[in-house]
Amino acid sequence: MFEFNKNLKKCMMIDWIKNDKKPILIAGPCSAETEEQVIETAVRLAKTGKIDILRAGIWKPRTRPGAFEGIGAKGLPWLQKAKEITGLPVAVEVAKASHVELCLEFGIDVLWIGARTTVNPFAVQEVADALRGVNIPVLLKNPINPDLALWLGGMERLQKVGLTQLGAIHRGFSSAGEKIYRNRPQWQIAIDFKTAMPQIPMINDPSHICGRRDLLHKVAQKAMDLNFDGLIIESHITPDTAWSDAAQQITPEVYGQMMADLIIRQYDPKDIKEKSKLERFRKEIDMIDEEIMGILASRMKIAREIGLYKKENNMTILQSDRWKEVLEKFISRGVQSGLSEEFITRIIKSIHDESIEQQESVMEE
Ligand code: PEP
Ligand code: MN
């Protein structure tokens, strides 16, 4: 029917990475709504040439009841059809064994486990058990709370049932004070995951991090700059009337342009001369880190002496006026040196925290 229907792409995530087909691009609507919407989205996405896997939510875990909770199993044949027409492998979110069974029955190629499911080890285990003996690619989103161990633990559950085509999705974390993002990215947690499990591809989900379309490109580019392996982005034919997550979806054409505009950088410089220049910079950084370490150790040594003094004189560790003075001086000095207020505040608070710990341990002696 359409020109795409040549041969179905093989969905071997791990091989793609090995063959340097980075980034893996996953796109599609937040939710399957109607057959026409699924097919038209798939066709228009396929035409961009910037998609490897089509996504669509069938069962939607919504925060509040009454919101659209997904079209259910009747949407699965629509995805089958989209796959036949475009040749794209299709991905669906699963949260329990019955979802897995239906997806396997309808030839879904890739499964993902949502953030609200990853928080619950019982649910992840149920999905893992339903997949025993079926080596289908499975992507595990980070849990909604910033808990690295829970995310790694979920991945271990999937590995233990024999799944080998696994990937992680970084979709950000719920946070009470967050103003810009729907889910605060906390990139360091995804980086820690990559460090702990370097063999697992890391896919970034700008849509659920941002919650709004104007920030998507910036987040997607950052993920590429951090050497992430792929992106999953929500795309809808008429984003503003989407039944779920309207504010963060973009049309297939906007998506295609956004992907074309991404700058994909190399891991290593090609030129050997350039590499030795980088090594020189890194030596300088190592020396400065060494100095920072020495200075921090000296600061903590004095903190312990102050702790002893306060103990002998029966004084409280925290003296709010002194702390306020240190904080303000540090911030204004840092800003003068061109450092961001946010960064410098985090640093001094963390140093102060450790200083209190050190004094506390002296007092306990
Ligand atoms: C989704 O991908 O549509 C979804 C529900 O995402 P998350 O689990 O990240 O909230
Ligand atoms: Mn969504």
Side-chain angles (χ1 to χ4, degrees):
M1 196 171 3
F2 285 86
E3 60 196 294
F4 313 110
N5 193 9
K6 299 230 170 73
N7 46 358
L8 289 188
K9 278 191 189 175
K10 280 253 160 44
C11 194
M12 303 292 283
M13 199 100 44
I14 303 296
D15 289 350
W16 286 1
I17 304 259
K18 275 205 210 110
N19 297 336
D20 249 4
K21 292 218 183 92
K22 274 167 69 171
I24 294 169
L25 296 178
I26 307 173
C30 176
S31 304
E33 298 165 4
T34 65
E35 180 169 344
E36 297 68 37
Q37 169 246 7
V38 169
I39 305 296
E40 190 181 335
T41 313
V43 168
R44 281 167 55 182
L45 279 170
K47 278 188 180 148
T48 68
K50 297 279 178 190
I51 177 171
D52 300 300
I53 302 173
L54 177 73
R55 65 149 280 158
I58 291 288
W59 301 281
K60 300 302 298 178
R62 304 320 293 176
T63 304
R64 304 184 66 186
F68 173 58
E69 294 191 315
I71 204 73
K74 88 172 198 212
L76 291 169
W78 308 342
L79 282 171
Q80 258 181 340
K81 196 164 166 189
K83 174 177 163 177
E84 264 167 42
I85 294 170
T86 61
L88 289 171
V90 289
V92 165
E93 173 175 350
V94 292
K96 50 188 186 179
S98 61
H99 295 164
V100 172
E101 283 150 21
L102 281 161
C103 283
L104 295 177
E105 191 182 318
F106 283 88
I108 301 301
D109 304 279
V110 178
L111 307 178
W112 86 83
I113 297 176
R116 289 164 193 77
T117 305
T118 311
V119 288
N120 180 355
F122 287 132
V124 176
Q125 192 59 50
E126 182 182 321
V127 169
D129 287 336
L131 284 166
R132 231 175 258 277
V134 195
N135 200 7
I136 185 173
V138 181
L139 307 173
L140 181 70
K141 288 205 179 194
N142 66 254
I144 46 181
N145 53 327
D147 185 338
L148 174 65
L150 201 50
W151 195 7
L152 291 169
M155 192 56 79
E156 284 160 7
R157 286 176 198 280
L158 299 173
Q159 286 173 326
K160 277 198 162 158
V161 297
L163 294 164
T164 59
Q165 301 182 73
L166 294 167
I169 300 178
H170 168 229
R171 54 77 82 193
F173 304 89
S174 279
S175 174
E178 180 57 52
K179 291 193 186 73
I180 301 170
Y181 297 104
R182 176 177 174 190
N183 291 294
R184 184 176 286 176
Q186 300 193 246
W187 294 93
Q188 192 58 48
I189 297 177
I191 293 169
D192 288 345
F193 187 109
K194 269 161 69 77
T195 310
M197 293 193 174
Q199 77 284 13
I200 303 285
M202 176 61 71
I203 292 166
N204 178 258
D205 176 348
S207 305
H208 293 91
I209 288 177
C210 299
R212 44 190 263 201
R213 50 185 82 98
D214 60 324
L215 299 176
L216 294 175
H217 178 263
K218 189 167 171 258
V219 168
Q221 183 62 57
K222 179 157 179 178
M224 293 300 95
D225 294 343
L226 293 177
N227 195 33
F228 279 33
D229 302 287
L231 295 167
I232 177 166
I233 295 185
E234 288 185 343
S235 173
H236 194 283
I237 45 171
T238 51
D240 288 329
T241 62
W243 297 2
S244 58
D245 290 352
Q248 69 198 31
Q249 302 208 58
I250 48 178
T251 62
E253 294 69 32
V254 168
Y255 163 82
Q257 190 57 51
M258 194 181 286
M259 294 305 100
D261 289 344
L262 283 180
I263 301 167
I264 309 297
R265 302 176 211 274
Q266 313 278 336
Y267 191 80
D268 278 318
K270 285 207 184 83
D271 186 340
I272 198 86
K273 244 180 38 220
E274 287 299 312
K275 191 151 188 177
S276 67
K277 198 161 142 195
L278 176 64
E279 275 157 11
R280 276 207 305 282
F281 281 135
R282 285 184 169 160
K283 282 218 174 72
E284 278 180 49
I285 289 271
D286 288 348
M287 266 154 61
I288 292 172
D289 284 349
E290 201 49 47
E291 274 177 50
I292 293 176
M293 217 56 78
I295 290 169
L296 284 174
S298 314
R299 196 188 194 283
M300 291 311 155
K301 192 159 165 268
I302 296 177
R304 291 178 73 85
E305 280 167 25
I306 292 181
L308 192 61
Y309 173 90
K310 286 178 180 165
K311 184 182 181 179
E312 282 165 4
N313 291 283
N314 203 26
M315 289 166 68
T316 58
I317 293 179
L318 181 65
Q319 302 199 310
S320 304
D321 44 354
R322 166 65 184 160
W323 166 229
K324 189 163 175 272
E325 190 190 307
V326 170
L327 182 64
E328 281 168 1
K329 205 160 77 194
F330 204 85
I331 292 175
S332 86
R333 185 66 190 80
V335 170
Q336 257 176 37
S337 303
L339 302 168
S340 87
E341 182 169 340
E342 194 265 341
F343 168 66
I344 208 72
T345 306
R346 252 191 297 136
I347 294 285
I348 188 61
K349 283 192 174 168
S350 158
I351 291 174
H352 185 241
D353 210 37
E354 177 60 16
S355 200
I356 289 175
E357 284 294 315
Q358 294 283 340
Q359 295 183 45
E360 188 68 24
S361 74
V362 169
M363 293 231 172
E364 280 166 4
E365 271 164 17

PDB file of all heavy atoms in Angstrom, residues 340-359:
ATOM      1  N   SER A 340      27.852  30.039  38.840  1.00  0.00           N
ATOM      2  CA  SER A 340      26.416  30.288  38.995  1.00  0.00           C
ATOM      3  C   SER A 340      26.021  30.180  40.463  1.00  0.00           C
ATOM      4  O   SER A 340      26.593  29.391  41.221  1.00  0.00           O
ATOM      5  CB  SER A 340      25.597  29.311  38.146  1.00  0.00           C
ATOM      6  OG  SER A 340      25.354  28.127  38.868  1.00  0.00           O
ATOM      7  N   GLU A 341      25.053  31.013  40.833  1.00  0.00           N
ATOM      8  CA  GLU A 341      24.608  31.055  42.229  1.00  0.00           C
ATOM      9  C   GLU A 341      24.082  29.684  42.666  1.00  0.00           C
ATOM     10  O   GLU A 341      24.326  29.220  43.778  1.00  0.00           O
ATOM     11  CB  GLU A 341      23.522  32.120  42.377  1.00  0.00           C
ATOM     12  CG  GLU A 341      23.060  32.256  43.812  1.00  0.00           C
ATOM     13  CD  GLU A 341      22.179  33.472  44.048  1.00  0.00           C
ATOM     14  OE1 GLU A 341      22.200  34.415  43.244  1.00  0.00           O
ATOM     15  OE2 GLU A 341      21.464  33.442  45.072  1.00  0.00           O
ATOM     16  N   GLU A 342      23.393  29.035  41.732  1.00  0.00           N
ATOM     17  CA  GLU A 342      22.795  27.726  42.031  1.00  0.00           C
ATOM     18  C   GLU A 342      23.894  26.705  42.361  1.00  0.00           C
ATOM     19  O   GLU A 342      23.829  25.982  43.348  1.00  0.00           O
ATOM     20  CB  GLU A 342      21.975  27.299  40.804  1.00  0.00           C
ATOM     21  CG  GLU A 342      21.027  26.159  41.025  1.00  0.00           C
ATOM     22  CD  GLU A 342      21.619  24.817  40.634  1.00  0.00           C
ATOM     23  OE1 GLU A 342      22.603  24.787  39.880  1.00  0.00           O
ATOM     24  OE2 GLU A 342      21.122  23.815  41.116  1.00  0.00           O
ATOM     25  N   PHE A 343      24.936  26.702  41.546  1.00  0.00           N
ATOM     26  CA  PHE A 343      26.057  25.762  41.735  1.00  0.00           C
ATOM     27  C   PHE A 343      26.786  26.041  43.048  1.00  0.00           C
ATOM     28  O   PHE A 343      27.007  25.144  43.863  1.00  0.00           O
ATOM     29  CB  PHE A 343      27.015  25.881  40.545  1.00  0.00           C
ATOM     30  CG  PHE A 343      28.337  25.195  40.743  1.00  0.00           C
ATOM     31  CD1 PHE A 343      28.410  23.819  40.857  1.00  0.00           C
ATOM     32  CD2 PHE A 343      29.518  25.938  40.809  1.00  0.00           C
ATOM     33  CE1 PHE A 343      29.634  23.180  41.041  1.00  0.00           C
ATOM     34  CE2 PHE A 343      30.741  25.308  40.998  1.00  0.00           C
ATOM     35  CZ  PHE A 343      30.797  23.929  41.106  1.00  0.00           C
ATOM     36  N   ILE A 344      27.101  27.307  43.259  1.00  0.00           N
ATOM     37  CA  ILE A 344      27.913  27.659  44.427  1.00  0.00           C
ATOM     38  C   ILE A 344      27.121  27.395  45.717  1.00  0.00           C
ATOM     39  O   ILE A 344      27.673  26.991  46.735  1.00  0.00           O
ATOM     40  CB  ILE A 344      28.417  29.127  44.269  1.00  0.00           C
ATOM     41  CG1 ILE A 344      29.727  29.291  44.999  1.00  0.00           C
ATOM     42  CG2 ILE A 344      27.428  30.165  44.656  1.00  0.00           C
ATOM     43  CD1 ILE A 344      30.866  28.610  44.339  1.00  0.00           C
ATOM     44  N   THR A 345      25.805  27.574  45.650  1.00  0.00           N
ATOM     45  CA  THR A 345      24.963  27.309  46.825  1.00  0.00           C
ATOM     46  C   THR A 345      24.978  25.804  47.140  1.00  0.00           C
ATOM     47  O   THR A 345      25.099  25.405  48.299  1.00  0.00           O
ATOM     48  CB  THR A 345      23.506  27.770  46.549  1.00  0.00           C
ATOM     49  OG1 THR A 345      23.547  29.127  46.146  1.00  0.00           O
ATOM     50  CG2 THR A 345      22.630  27.639  47.772  1.00  0.00           C
ATOM     51  N   ARG A 346      24.878  25.006  46.087  1.00  0.00           N
ATOM     52  CA  ARG A 346      24.912  23.550  46.291  1.00  0.00           C
ATOM     53  C   ARG A 346      26.234  23.122  46.920  1.00  0.00           C
ATOM     54  O   ARG A 346      26.275  22.296  47.821  1.00  0.00           O
ATOM     55  CB  ARG A 346      24.754  22.841  44.939  1.00  0.00           C
ATOM     56  CG  ARG A 346      23.404  22.186  44.774  1.00  0.00           C
ATOM     57  CD  ARG A 346      23.330  21.266  43.579  1.00  0.00           C
ATOM     58  NE  ARG A 346      23.529  21.953  42.311  1.00  0.00           N
ATOM     59  CZ  ARG A 346      24.295  21.488  41.327  1.00  0.00           C
ATOM     60  NH1 ARG A 346      24.926  20.349  41.442  1.00  0.00           N
ATOM     61  NH2 ARG A 346      24.431  22.170  40.198  1.00  0.00           N
ATOM     62  N   ILE A 347      27.342  23.708  46.426  1.00  0.00           N
ATOM     63  CA  ILE A 347      28.669  23.334  46.921  1.00  0.00           C
ATOM     64  C   ILE A 347      28.815  23.688  48.399  1.00  0.00           C
ATOM     65  O   ILE A 347      29.177  22.845  49.224  1.00  0.00           O
ATOM     66  CB  ILE A 347      29.785  24.063  46.111  1.00  0.00           C
ATOM     67  CG1 ILE A 347      29.791  23.592  44.671  1.00  0.00           C
ATOM     68  CG2 ILE A 347      31.155  23.881  46.760  1.00  0.00           C
ATOM     69  CD1 ILE A 347      30.373  22.227  44.470  1.00  0.00           C
ATOM     70  N   ILE A 348      28.491  24.940  48.747  1.00  0.00           N
ATOM     71  CA  ILE A 348      28.731  25.359  50.140  1.00  0.00           C
ATOM     72  C   ILE A 348      27.795  24.615  51.096  1.00  0.00           C
ATOM     73  O   ILE A 348      28.185  24.258  52.207  1.00  0.00           O
ATOM     74  CB  ILE A 348      28.652  26.909  50.308  1.00  0.00           C
ATOM     75  CG1 ILE A 348      29.106  27.335  51.708  1.00  0.00           C
ATOM     76  CG2 ILE A 348      27.272  27.445  50.012  1.00  0.00           C
ATOM     77  CD1 ILE A 348      30.516  27.000  52.061  1.00  0.00           C
ATOM     78  N   LYS A 349      26.569  24.345  50.633  1.00  0.00           N
ATOM     79  CA  LYS A 349      25.645  23.604  51.507  1.00  0.00           C
ATOM     80  C   LYS A 349      26.162  22.186  51.744  1.00  0.00           C
ATOM     81  O   LYS A 349      26.050  21.650  52.846  1.00  0.00           O
ATOM     82  CB  LYS A 349      24.236  23.558  50.908  1.00  0.00           C
ATOM     83  CG  LYS A 349      23.506  24.882  51.107  1.00  0.00           C
ATOM     84  CD  LYS A 349      22.038  24.784  50.787  1.00  0.00           C
ATOM     85  CE  LYS A 349      21.342  26.098  51.161  1.00  0.00           C
ATOM     86  NZ  LYS A 349      19.998  26.180  50.619  1.00  0.00           N
ATOM     87  N   SER A 350      26.730  21.611  50.716  1.00  0.00           N
ATOM     88  CA  SER A 350      27.236  20.260  50.862  1.00  0.00           C
ATOM     89  C   SER A 350      28.481  20.240  51.759  1.00  0.00           C
ATOM     90  O   SER A 350      28.653  19.352  52.606  1.00  0.00           O
ATOM     91  CB  SER A 350      27.472  19.713  49.452  1.00  0.00           C
ATOM     92  OG  SER A 350      28.356  18.687  49.463  1.00  0.00           O
ATOM     93  N   ILE A 351      29.339  21.253  51.620  1.00  0.00           N
ATOM     94  CA  ILE A 351      30.520  21.345  52.494  1.00  0.00           C
ATOM     95  C   ILE A 351      30.072  21.556  53.949  1.00  0.00           C
ATOM     96  O   ILE A 351      30.573  20.924  54.875  1.00  0.00           O
ATOM     97  CB  ILE A 351      31.451  22.509  52.039  1.00  0.00           C
ATOM     98  CG1 ILE A 351      32.092  22.163  50.687  1.00  0.00           C
ATOM     99  CG2 ILE A 351      32.501  22.819  53.091  1.00  0.00           C
ATOM    100  CD1 ILE A 351      32.911  23.281  50.075  1.00  0.00           C
ATOM    101  N   HIS A 352      29.101  22.437  54.122  1.00  0.00           N
ATOM    102  CA  HIS A 352      28.609  22.741  55.465  1.00  0.00           C
ATOM    103  C   HIS A 352      28.000  21.498  56.122  1.00  0.00           C
ATOM    104  O   HIS A 352      28.224  21.224  57.305  1.00  0.00           O
ATOM    105  CB  HIS A 352      27.576  23.873  55.369  1.00  0.00           C
ATOM    106  CG  HIS A 352      27.088  24.352  56.696  1.00  0.00           C
ATOM    107  ND1 HIS A 352      25.772  24.287  57.073  1.00  0.00           N
ATOM    108  CD2 HIS A 352      27.744  24.887  57.755  1.00  0.00           C
ATOM    109  CE1 HIS A 352      25.644  24.755  58.298  1.00  0.00           C
ATOM    110  NE2 HIS A 352      26.822  25.147  58.740  1.00  0.00           N
ATOM    111  N   ASP A 353      27.268  20.753  55.323  1.00  0.00           N
ATOM    112  CA  ASP A 353      26.647  19.522  55.793  1.00  0.00           C
ATOM    113  C   ASP A 353      27.703  18.550  56.324  1.00  0.00           C
ATOM    114  O   ASP A 353      27.581  17.987  57.414  1.00  0.00           O
ATOM    115  CB  ASP A 353      25.937  18.890  54.583  1.00  0.00           C
ATOM    116  CG  ASP A 353      24.738  18.098  54.994  1.00  0.00           C
ATOM    117  OD1 ASP A 353      24.063  18.540  55.930  1.00  0.00           O
ATOM    118  OD2 ASP A 353      24.473  17.041  54.385  1.00  0.00           O
ATOM    119  N   GLU A 354      28.767  18.387  55.544  1.00  0.00           N
ATOM    120  CA  GLU A 354      29.845  17.481  55.948  1.00  0.00           C
ATOM    121  C   GLU A 354      30.549  18.017  57.200  1.00  0.00           C
ATOM    122  O   GLU A 354      30.914  17.264  58.101  1.00  0.00           O
ATOM    123  CB  GLU A 354      30.828  17.303  54.787  1.00  0.00           C
ATOM    124  CG  GLU A 354      32.050  16.441  55.093  1.00  0.00           C
ATOM    125  CD  GLU A 354      31.723  14.999  55.500  1.00  0.00           C
ATOM    126  OE1 GLU A 354      30.578  14.548  55.271  1.00  0.00           O
ATOM    127  OE2 GLU A 354      32.623  14.353  56.070  1.00  0.00           O
ATOM    128  N   SER A 355      30.691  19.327  57.263  1.00  0.00           N
ATOM    129  CA  SER A 355      31.328  19.967  58.401  1.00  0.00           C
ATOM    130  C   SER A 355      30.538  19.667  59.690  1.00  0.00           C
ATOM    131  O   SER A 355      31.112  19.361  60.734  1.00  0.00           O
ATOM    132  CB  SER A 355      31.353  21.459  58.105  1.00  0.00           C
ATOM    133  OG  SER A 355      32.289  22.090  58.879  1.00  0.00           O
ATOM    134  N   ILE A 356      29.210  19.732  59.582  1.00  0.00           N
ATOM    135  CA  ILE A 356      28.348  19.413  60.729  1.00  0.00           C
ATOM    136  C   ILE A 356      28.533  17.940  61.126  1.00  0.00           C
ATOM    137  O   ILE A 356      28.669  17.612  62.308  1.00  0.00           O
ATOM    138  CB  ILE A 356      26.872  19.721  60.397  1.00  0.00           C
ATOM    139  CG1 ILE A 356      26.663  21.240  60.341  1.00  0.00           C
ATOM    140  CG2 ILE A 356      25.926  19.084  61.407  1.00  0.00           C
ATOM    141  CD1 ILE A 356      25.268  21.665  59.908  1.00  0.00           C
ATOM    142  N   GLU A 357      28.571  17.071  60.110  1.00  0.00           N
ATOM    143  CA  GLU A 357      28.794  15.638  60.372  1.00  0.00           C
ATOM    144  C   GLU A 357      30.093  15.418  61.141  1.00  0.00           C
ATOM    145  O   GLU A 357      30.139  14.647  62.099  1.00  0.00           O
ATOM    146  CB  GLU A 357      28.907  14.874  59.040  1.00  0.00           C
ATOM    147  CG  GLU A 357      27.588  14.648  58.331  1.00  0.00           C
ATOM    148  CD  GLU A 357      26.668  13.722  59.097  1.00  0.00           C
ATOM    149  OE1 GLU A 357      27.153  12.678  59.578  1.00  0.00           O
ATOM    150  OE2 GLU A 357      25.478  14.068  59.251  1.00  0.00           O
ATOM    151  N   GLN A 358      31.147  16.098  60.692  1.00  0.00           N
ATOM    152  CA  GLN A 358      32.472  15.946  61.318  1.00  0.00           C
ATOM    153  C   GLN A 358      32.420  16.406  62.778  1.00  0.00           C
ATOM    154  O   GLN A 358      32.938  15.745  63.670  1.00  0.00           O
ATOM    155  CB  GLN A 358      33.516  16.773  60.555  1.00  0.00           C
ATOM    156  CG  GLN A 358      33.769  16.289  59.141  1.00  0.00           C
ATOM    157  CD  GLN A 358      34.637  15.036  59.081  1.00  0.00           C
ATOM    158  OE1 GLN A 358      35.358  14.722  60.024  1.00  0.00           O
ATOM    159  NE2 GLN A 358      34.550  14.304  57.985  1.00  0.00           N
ATOM    160  N   GLN A 359      31.766  17.555  63.009  1.00  0.00           N
ATOM    161  CA  GLN A 359      31.677  18.081  64.379  1.00  0.00           C
ATOM    162  C   GLN A 359      30.831  17.159  65.252  1.00  0.00           C
ATOM    163  O   GLN A 359      31.148  16.921  66.413  1.00  0.00           O
ATOM    164  CB  GLN A 359      31.090  19.497  64.354  1.00  0.00           C
ATOM    165  CG  GLN A 359      32.007  20.495  63.647  1.00  0.00           C
ATOM    166  CD  GLN A 359      31.465  21.917  63.685  1.00  0.00           C
ATOM    167  OE1 GLN A 359      31.014  22.392  64.720  1.00  0.00           O
ATOM    168  NE2 GLN A 359      31.500  22.582  62.550  1.00  0.00           N
TER     169      GLN A 359
END
